[in-house]
Amino acid sequence: MKFGGTSVADAESVLRTVGIIASSHGGGDEVAVVISAQRGVTDQLIAVADQAVCSRDASVVGPLIQSLRDRHMKALEGAAPDKAGEVAPVIETCLADLANILHAVVNLRELTPRSRDYIITFGERLNAPIVSAALRQAGIASAVLDGCEAGVLTTDQHGEAMALPTGERRIQGRVTPLLSRMVPVIMGFMGCTQKGVVTTLGRSGSDYSAAIIGAGIDADEIWIWTDVDGIMTSDPRLISDARVLSSVSYQEVMELSYFGAKVMHPRSLEPAMRRDIPVRVKNTFNPTHPGTVIVREVPCDSRVVRAITYIDRVAAININGAQMIGRPGVAREIFSALAGNDINVMMISQGSSEANISLIIDEYQLASAIEALNPLVHRGLVREVTSNRDVSAVAVVGGGMIGAIGTGGRIFTALGAAGVNVMMISQGSSEANISFVVRQEDGPRAVRVLHDEFHLSEESDE
Ligand code: ADP
Ligand code: ASP
Ligand code: MG
C-alpha cells in the first residue's frame, strides 16, 4: 500500500491511514507500506535548495528547518503521543543532517544532481518514522526502511532514476522476511545506485516505489491510496463531472500519465505489468469506494475513448528547411543531437513534404534542445529552428480505439466546431492514444469539448 502526500499530511490523515492499514492487517493480510512526503514538503525542499545555491545567504535554511520541525512534531504528537519521546530525536537528527547539507550548498555555491537528490528525499525521511510510530501506537509491530535499505536499486540518472531489475531479488531478501512479523514502512521516491549513492525516481516517484516494492515481494495487489476515488475520465480539478473508471488497462494509464495526468507516475506501472500484478487506486478519504483496478485487459467496454488529459508544461520545436527533402540522414542527425543531450521527445510529426519536422518536448528542456540543434543549422542541414512555449499537448486515450474507424474524424470535427485550432497531430504506435497540440490557452477547452463529445460523464457499460 502506498499513501500519497495528502494521505499522510498531518496527524489526522496519518491516523486515517493507520486505520486503513490496521483493517487490512487485522483481516490477515501481510502489508508493506510505502510513504510519500507530507503534501508540499518536496516542493519546499526543491525551492530552498535552489535558493541556497543562488545566494550566499544562509537565512533561507533556518525558517525551512523550523517549519519542517513544527509540522512533523505536531503530526508525531497527534498520531503517536506515546512514541513521541522515542521518535522525536530521530526527526531532530534528520533535520540536523538536512541543515548541514543546505549550509554546505550555501557555502560551496554548488548543488550537484547528486546532492540535490539527497536533499529532496528528506520529506520522506521525516515522514516515514511518524507513520511507523503511529502503527506501533495502534499495537502493530513496524519498522522504517529507506529506499536503499529496502533494496530499491536504480540507474544513476539523478532526478529521474530507473529501477534496475536486479533490485527485485534484493527487495525480496530484505522486505519479504519482515512481512510475517510486522508492517515495514518504506520511504518512497528514493533508491540508490549499486554503489549506494541516493537517487530519486522523478516527481510523484512514490507510486513507482510502490510498484518496484510490490514486484519485489511478488505482492498479490498494489494499492495506491490517494485523494480521489480512482482514475477518472479526466482531471477532476479541470472537469468537475469527470467519472471514476472501475477498471482501466496498464497501457491506458501509462498513456494518461505520460501526458500529464498527475494521478500516477508514468513509469510506475512497468514493474507491476511485468508480473501482472493488479494495481488498485483508492481514496483514503472514502475507503469504502471500490476505486479503480488497473489490469492488463479490461472487461468489455463499448467506448472507444475512455479518458482525456492534457499537459501544458511542453514546448513545440519546428525544424524547417527544404534541405531535408530526400536526405535520409537528416532525421537521424536531429534525433541523435537531441538524445545526446538527454532531451526527451514526447511527440513527433513530419509533414509529407519532408520540409518540416515538429517535436514536442518538456518545456524545461527547451533551451538545451535549441542549443543541441543549432549546429545543424550551421552545418546547413536544416534552414531554421523555431520554438513555441505557448502550447499544450492533449491526449485522447482508450484501448478501444485500436482498429476503430472514425475516432480521429470525430475528435477533430468536434474541435473544429468549437473553434480550437489544432497545431500538430500524432498517433502513438499503440493506437490507444491520439494526441495533438493546441495553443496553451485552448488546452482546457479542448479537454472539455472532447469529454462532452464522447459522453464521458455518463455511465458506461464497463
Ligand atoms: P498523491 O499525493 O496521493 O500521490 P497526486 O496529487 O499526485 O496524489 O494525484 C492525485 C491527483 O491527480 C488528484 O487529486 C487529481 O486532481 C489528479 N488527477 C489528474 N488526472 C486525473 C485522473 N485522470 N484521474 C484521477 N485523478 C487525476
Ligand atoms: N514526495 C515526492 C514528490 O512530491 C514523491 C511523491 O510524492 O510521490 O514528488
Ligand atoms: Mg502522486
Side-chain angles (χ1 to χ4, degrees):
M1 292 187 174
K2 173 258 174 175
F3 293 88
T6 10
S7 305
V8 283
D10 51 22
E12 197 190 337
S13 52
V14 169
L15 287 171
R16 197 176 289 122
T17 287
V18 166
I20 290 170
I21 300 168
S23 79
S24 182
H25 188 255
D29 291 332
E30 290 181 340
V31 187
V33 169
V34 171
I35 290 296
S36 290
Q38 290 188 8
R39 188 174 55 160
V41 169
T42 311
D43 290 330
Q44 251 180 311
L45 292 166
I46 291 173
V48 171
D50 290 341
Q51 273 173 337
V53 72
C54 293
S55 65
R56 286 215 66 134
D57 182 8
S59 67
V60 289
V61 179
L64 170 78
I65 300 294
Q66 192 53 43
S67 101
L68 292 176
R69 176 180 292 117
D70 291 348
R71 196 170 166 172
H72 289 86
M73 290 300 182
K74 203 167 156 205
L76 174 64
E77 278 151 21
D82 301 347
K83 308 290 170 194
E86 167 202 331
V87 178
V90 175
I91 292 179
E92 282 301 343
T93 307
C94 207
L95 290 169
D97 285 349
L98 175 62
N100 281 337
I101 305 162
L102 287 170
H103 279 125
V105 171
V106 171
N107 291 329
L108 295 170
R109 285 185 124 183
E110 183 183 67
L111 182 64
T112 61
R114 181 169 162 164
S115 46
R116 186 177 194 272
D117 255 3
Y118 187 48
I119 291 169
I120 67 177
T121 61
F122 272 81
E124 278 73 11
R125 293 183 192 281
L126 289 162
N127 211 16
I130 299 173
V131 177
S132 182
L135 281 166
R136 284 183 277 122
Q137 170 94 45
I140 298 170
S142 175
V144 176
L145 283 85
D146 70 25
C148 197
E149 288 165 337
V152 179
L153 280 183
T154 72
T155 58
D156 61 2
Q157 264 170 290
H158 285 286
E160 279 297 334
M162 279 187 277
L164 295 173
T166 44
E168 284 189 10
R169 296 261 316 265
R170 208 180 264 211
I171 294 166
Q172 191 185 30
R174 295 179 179 192
V175 181
T176 308
L178 303 176
L179 297 175
S180 59
R181 51 193 170 88
M182 64 158 76
V183 173
V185 174
I186 300 160
M187 300 171 193
F189 185 43
M190 67 185 82
C192 63
T193 64
Q194 297 273 9
K195 290 186 180 153
V197 177
V198 173
T199 52
T200 62
L201 305 170
R203 294 307 306 272
S204 297
S206 301
D207 298 326
Y208 191 20
S209 305
I212 298 166
I213 304 277
I217 64 174
D218 201 14
D220 298 314
E221 294 204 357
I222 296 164
W223 289 26
I224 305 289
W225 289 91
T226 183
D227 60 356
V228 283
D229 284 337
I231 303 225
M232 307 179 81
T233 50
S234 199
D235 187 344
R237 281 181 280 206
L238 176 66
I239 304 290
S240 55
D241 54 356
R243 198 174 43 83
V244 178
L245 294 158
S246 59
S247 61
V248 285
S249 68
Y250 294 123
Q251 189 185 23
E252 287 171 329
V253 179
M254 286 200 280
E255 304 276 5
L256 281 176
S257 49
Y258 185 68
F259 279 91
K262 211 193 138 208
V263 68
M264 189 147 318
H265 180 289
R267 268 194 301 277
S268 55
L269 290 169
E270 282 165 18
M273 199 164 90
R274 239 183 309 114
R275 289 187 175 241
D276 250 326
I277 304 175
V279 177
R280 221 172 266 282
V281 179
K282 282 179 68 79
N283 190 348
T284 318
F285 304 89
N286 187 17
T288 53
H289 191 289
T292 301
V293 64
I294 310 169
V295 287
R296 191 169 295 274
E297 302 255 354
V298 289
C300 190
D301 178 359
S302 60
R303 271 174 213 235
V304 288
V305 169
R306 311 240 302 146
I308 300 164
T309 183
Y310 90 110
I311 179 167
D312 61 8
R313 294 181 329 268
V314 292
I317 297 183
N318 292 305
I319 302 163
N320 298 307
Q323 295 88 329
M324 290 193 292
I325 295 176
R327 277 178 74 172
V330 177
R332 190 195 58 210
E333 295 270 356
I334 291 172
F335 292 108
S336 13
L338 294 169
N341 287 276
D342 276 336
I343 292 165
N344 178 31
V345 178
M346 298 176 68
M347 277 170 71
I348 304 167
S349 118
Q350 178 172 25
S352 60
S353 74
E354 294 186 43
N356 175 293
I357 293 182
S358 304
L359 310 168
I360 294 296
I361 59 166
D362 216 311
E363 196 175 60
Y364 84 94
Q365 294 194 307
L366 182 58
S368 22
I370 299 284
E371 208 172 302
L373 293 171
N374 272 339
L376 274 67
V377 180
H378 295 141
R379 285 166 53 203
L381 284 175
V382 300
R383 194 181 67 240
E384 63 165 0
V385 177
T386 59
S387 64
N388 184 355
R389 280 173 181 275
D390 293 329
V391 294
S392 291
V394 179
V396 179
V397 172
M401 291 197 300
I402 299 174
I405 296 168
T407 316
R410 222 171 129 188
I411 292 172
F412 298 112
T413 306
L415 291 170
V420 174
N421 177 34
V422 176
M423 302 161 73
M424 169 178 166
I425 301 173
S426 130
Q427 174 165 21
S429 59
S430 74
E431 287 188 56
N433 170 359
I434 294 179
S435 36
F436 56 90
V437 176
V438 296
R439 280 198 303 263
Q440 192 158 34
E441 68 207 50
D442 286 340
R445 196 154 55 92
V447 175
R448 175 78 264 172
V449 165
L450 296 175
H451 202 269
D452 291 343
E453 170 65 27
F454 290 97
H455 307 290
L456 295 185
S457 307
E458 295 159 25
E459 285 304 318
S460 75
D461 55 2
E462 52 168 334

